[in-house]
Amino acid sequence: MTLTEQTTERPEVRGVRRLSRPDPASRGRGGQRFLLVGLSLAGVYSLFPVWWLIVAATKDRTALYQSNGLWFSGWHLWDNLHQVFTYQDGIFLRWTANSFLYAGVGSLGGTLIALATGYGLARFDFPGRNAIFACVVGSFLIPIALLTLPLYLLFSAIGMVDTPWAMLIPCLINPFSVYLAKVYTEATIPYELLEAARIDGAGELRIFFSIVLRMMTTGGATVFLLAFVNTWNAFFLPLTVLRGKENWTLNLGLYNWTGTRLESGIDLTGLVLTGALLSIVPMAIMMVAMRRYWRTGVTLGALK
């Protein structure tokens, strides 16, 4: 044995087992399994109410109370749908149209205003800009429910209570949408592009509608989707400012059907559950149709 081999060879000690280093790949696989299990449990927890709602919408009144709540018992979905669409002369369809009006028109106008405001705060330097942005961020601390009563008093003073405007005007102002629009503008609209457009003779309105809005498609879609879901699920505001049934939203109408059992003794639980299932269909369709935009938009906002 040479001298080099003698110096490099380590003597073995009896009764002592050499510890091997943990494999980084195995640790990574363990973390992935843990993450996968956690996401699976979260997915089951999130979809559990939807599954219960789907099962309940297929039952009649007897099976709804006497059968297993997590599995089917007969198939009465078409009868329940017919009752929902025909009860009280089809008032459910009117409530659906009102919800689309408030959520669609209000969110579209609110998105346009938010994009214009966010663009102005991000790319224009004027006195009081930081103070205005601080007020926008500070308004996040005010719960929306606290603004319901002041809005009612304001609309009552100007005669807008129980009109569509009482729902549309509050939807046009959303501080969180303004914040998102400012973040997206800073990430996607460079100063050099705006200066080049001004040198070419383009006015500010043309720059905004021809250049900024096209480059803000992803951010605008995200802002619109969040505003649409928020307005579609609104409850306290329509409960306060809307009185006549013809102007109610879906949530307010279903809430009224829920209280009918206490007032008149008529059990409309089956209609309420079927209507609730129908009320989530538009949001699901919109989420699927716009998934390409809101995924990119949320990622961009997170990176920013």
Side-chain angles (χ1 to χ4, degrees):
M1 181 179 297
T2 62
L3 180 61
T4 305
E5 293 177 349
Q6 293 179 355
T7 55
T8 56
E9 184 180 3
R10 296 181 179 180
E12 296 183 358
V13 181
R14 294 183 178 180
V16 179
R17 181 178 299 177
R18 182 177 299 176
L19 298 178
S20 60
R21 295 182 179 180
D23 187 6
S26 62
R27 289 188 300 177
R29 288 192 296 268
Q32 292 178 357
R33 295 191 188 99
F34 179 78
L35 180 61
L36 181 60
V37 172
L39 292 176
S40 301
L41 294 176
V44 172
Y45 176 79
S46 302
L47 295 177
F48 182 80
V50 180
W51 170 255
W52 177 85
L53 187 61
I54 294 174
V55 172
T58 62
K59 298 180 179 181
D60 57 2
R61 184 181 304 175
T62 303
L64 187 62
Y65 292 105
Q66 298 181 1
S67 63
N68 185 3
L70 299 179
W71 197 248
F72 301 95
S73 177
W75 186 262
H76 303 275
L77 178 61
W78 309 123
D79 296 335
N80 294 336
L81 291 176
H82 181 265
Q83 294 178 8
V84 168
F85 291 136
T86 58
Y87 186 73
Q88 293 182 344
D89 298 328
I91 191 65
F92 182 85
L93 296 176
R94 179 62 182 269
W95 295 339
T96 304
N98 291 338
S99 296
F100 274 110
L101 173 65
Y102 304 147
V105 177
S107 300
L108 185 62
T111 300
L112 183 61
I113 294 176
L115 292 180
T117 307
Y119 167 68
L121 291 174
R123 289 296 178 258
F124 288 91
D125 188 10
F126 55 89
R129 183 182 68 170
N130 295 332
I132 294 176
F133 183 68
C135 292
V136 171
V137 176
S139 62
F140 298 165
L141 303 177
I142 303 177
I144 299 178
L146 293 182
L147 301 177
T148 302
L149 182 58
L151 287 175
Y152 171 77
L153 296 176
L154 176 62
F155 292 143
S156 179
I158 61 180
M160 285 190 178
V161 173
D162 200 24
T163 63
W165 293 108
M167 283 293 299
L168 291 175
I169 292 178
C171 296
L172 299 177
I173 309 300
N174 192 333
F176 184 69
S177 299
V178 174
Y179 172 77
L180 288 180
K182 181 179 182 298
V183 171
Y184 294 138
T185 301
E186 293 174 345
T188 58
I189 309 297
Y191 284 103
E192 295 78 9
L193 180 63
L194 302 178
E195 292 298 331
R198 295 188 181 103
I199 293 175
D200 291 339
E204 296 299 335
L205 290 178
R206 184 178 180 183
I207 292 175
F208 176 73
F209 287 101
S210 300
I211 299 177
V212 175
L213 284 185
R214 294 184 179 181
M215 298 183 65
M216 289 283 292
T217 303
T218 300
T222 304
V223 171
F224 173 80
L225 184 60
L226 294 177
F228 184 91
V229 173
N230 186 37
T231 306
W232 186 274
N233 293 328
F235 179 75
F236 288 107
L237 181 61
L239 178 65
T240 305
V241 301
L242 300 178
R243 298 176 180 174
K245 291 184 178 181
E246 64 278 1
N247 293 325
W248 284 355
T249 61
L250 272 177
N251 290 336
L252 192 56
L254 295 176
Y255 172 76
N256 177 260
W257 281 358
T258 304
T260 303
R261 181 178 182 180
L262 300 177
E263 297 176 358
S264 59
I266 301 176
D267 189 4
L268 300 178
T269 305
L271 272 68
V272 172
L273 295 176
T274 306
L277 178 62
L278 293 175
S279 66
I280 66 176
V281 172
M283 288 189 295
I285 294 176
M286 183 153 305
M287 291 289 290
V288 173
M290 301 181 65
R291 64 183 182 277
R292 180 170 64 92
Y293 294 101
W294 66 262
R295 282 180 181 176
T296 307
V298 170
T299 304
L300 179 62
L303 293 177
K304 183 63 178 178

